[in-house]
Amino acid sequence: MARAAGSADHMPSMSCEILTVDPEAPEAMPIARAAAVLRAGGLVAFPTETVYGLGANALDAGAVAKIFAAKGRPSTNPIIVHVPDAATACTLAADWPTEAGALAARFWPGPLTLVLSRSAVVPDIVTAGGPTVAVRVPAHPVAQALLRAVAFPLAAPSANRSTRLSPTRAEHVLRDLGDRIDLLLDAGSTPGGLESTVLDVTTEPPRLLRPGLITPAQLVEVIGSVEPAASDGGDKPRRSPGLLDKHYAPQTPLELLPDGRQRVEALAAQGLRVGWVTRAIDDGVATGAVITLPMPQDAKAYAARLYAVLHNLDREQLDRIVVDLPPDTTEWLAVQDRLRRAAGPPPETLPPEHA
Ligand code: TXA
Ligand code: MG
């Protein structure tokens, strides 16, 4: 597993404190040190079972403001609040619908975020001034240990600069935010690899705002029905800024195609350097202008690896990344969603200067 200490050659310049922590049995010292930084109003990047989060005391508006500044995040984009258990989640909500109770019992701790009516204790800056608050109970032992050590909720978006790829390894956090945060808890790769499912339970039926590691079928099993994620194209008001078209994106232009092979060959023939992310072949090959990244056939394994692959390709300074579109089935929904956002809107929807 890639650790900060073991990969000093490839480390970008940074000024934050980095503490290695055991992902299964977090040691007391790094957790106590991170908790002290958070108590003093600082920023700590920490692993969750999905991606690394950038945490601050959710009840301290000044500390949360530092998150927005570090990420370059628009103040209109609300932040998920992390708590150690469902009982604490209740204290942040004005209302606790039956569905919330059932979903919490089934999926918490785990990669499900519930959007609830906010209670007065939640600062405006966390909710972007809106009437709701997004809450989740992370399962990662390091996140759990940290939440229990601080005894206050942690506001934590993914630990990347706004619109970029989420980090699944400590080195991804350092590259994006190393000079903008106080401390990083390095517990190696995050197991899930994609962000949590975001479900709004203030509406009837509850509405999927962001597909994630918990699938719609799993939600339906518990609460009977779920309204699908709104498409971005229509004139419906956006309910979750994470649904913005261009998001979760590498810096290299990315194209998404049912089968990229011909496109990759054509681009290479034009003299461009191309990364090809594909499930069609078993062995990685770097032939001349093309780097081929073989991906797992299984959706969960694919999700766990995707961001690390895109982060790595981004460092190769390629002209283009081509990704084969995975199957159009619900188990691939979250992967498809992130790949579409990484590719951005189709050219015809962009103003001419961007096309
Ligand atoms: O897996 C995850 O959810 C990670 C880890 C660190 O917990 N966090 C994460 O946070 O992905 P972030 O900020 O990168 O994405 C949170 C998404 C955004 O799309 C945001 O707009 C939406 O949740 N969100 C937050 N609060 C909301 C609210 N009150 N109503 C609707 N959407 C909300
Ligand atoms: Mg994010």
Side-chain angles (χ1 to χ4, degrees):
M1 213 176 281
R3 293 297 180 91
S7 52
D9 289 353
H10 307 291
M11 277 296 155
S13 66
M14 70 206 62
S15 60
C16 76
E17 183 177 350
I18 305 167
L19 296 176
T20 300
V21 57
D22 187 313
E24 265 121 54
E27 301 85 349
M29 193 289 282
I31 297 297
R33 173 74 196 125
V37 169
L38 290 165
R39 263 184 233 113
L43 297 183
V44 171
F46 64 96
T48 79
E49 72 279 23
T50 59
V51 299
Y52 274 81
L54 177 57
N57 180 352
L59 305 181
D60 175 348
V64 177
K66 293 182 193 169
I67 295 179
F68 283 90
K71 282 182 61 92
R73 186 177 178 102
S75 60
T76 49
N77 194 355
I79 296 185
I80 298 174
V81 180
H82 297 64
V83 292
D85 50 43
T88 314
C90 285
T91 67
L92 302 176
D95 183 36
W96 184 250
T98 333
E99 289 93 340
L103 292 164
R106 172 70 183 79
F107 297 114
W108 281 354
L112 175 67
T113 296
L114 297 178
V115 171
L116 299 152
S117 299
R118 71 190 274 199
S119 87
V121 302
V122 183
D124 275 347
I125 188 169
V126 171
T127 69
T132 60
V133 61
V135 186
R136 97 173 183 93
V137 176
H140 197 294
V142 172
Q144 275 287 330
L146 192 58
L147 286 164
R148 289 181 192 280
V150 292
F152 47 70
L154 291 178
S158 51
N160 52 276
R161 293 206 201 178
S162 193
T163 77
R164 292 199 188 163
L165 285 173
S166 292
T168 57
R169 294 181 185 166
E171 68 223 52
H172 304 156
V173 179
L174 287 175
R175 216 166 281 135
D176 240 20
L177 296 173
D179 56 350
R180 297 171 173 218
I181 63 178
D182 298 300
L183 189 144
L184 164 66
L185 287 175
D186 177 2
S189 295
T190 57
L194 288 188
E195 305 81 359
S196 63
T197 303
V198 180
L199 186 74
D200 184 347
V201 288
T202 67
T203 62
E204 191 52 60
R207 182 148 154 247
L208 188 63
L209 296 183
R210 178 174 73 182
L213 294 172
I214 306 282
T215 64
Q218 286 178 288
L219 299 172
V220 166
E221 229 172 74
V222 177
I223 54 173
S225 73
V226 168
E227 198 184 314
S231 81
D232 289 331
D235 52 8
K236 277 190 193 172
R238 295 181 198 284
R239 290 293 305 276
S240 185
L243 296 175
L244 287 173
D245 273 339
K246 182 88 176 180
H247 221 104
Y248 310 103
Q251 284 159 282
T252 314
L254 183 149
E255 292 182 26
L256 199 53
L257 297 166
D259 176 359
R261 185 186 298 269
Q262 283 189 346
R263 178 70 177 151
V264 167
E265 285 167 2
L267 290 168
Q270 288 171 39
L272 299 182
R273 295 188 63 235
V274 187
W276 182 28
V277 180
T278 180
R279 292 162 66 247
I281 56 169
D282 294 332
D283 287 318
V285 278
T287 49
V290 181
I291 301 177
T292 303
L293 274 307
M295 294 296 283
Q297 300 300 323
D298 171 68
K300 276 205 160 67
Y302 186 112
R305 192 182 301 171
L306 178 62
Y307 286 162
V309 162
L310 295 180
H311 275 287
N312 286 342
L313 288 176
D314 237 359
R315 295 186 67 207
E316 298 290 334
Q317 313 220 299
L318 302 167
D319 298 300
R320 205 68 53 88
I321 298 172
V322 174
V323 184
D324 289 355
L325 202 53
D328 204 5
T329 59
T330 54
E331 57 166 347
W332 289 92
L333 188 67
V335 167
Q336 291 245 7
D337 171 79
R338 299 309 188 279
L339 286 173
R340 290 218 159 82
R341 290 176 209 297
E348 65 269 24
T349 68
L350 287 174
E353 70 271 24
H354 292 108

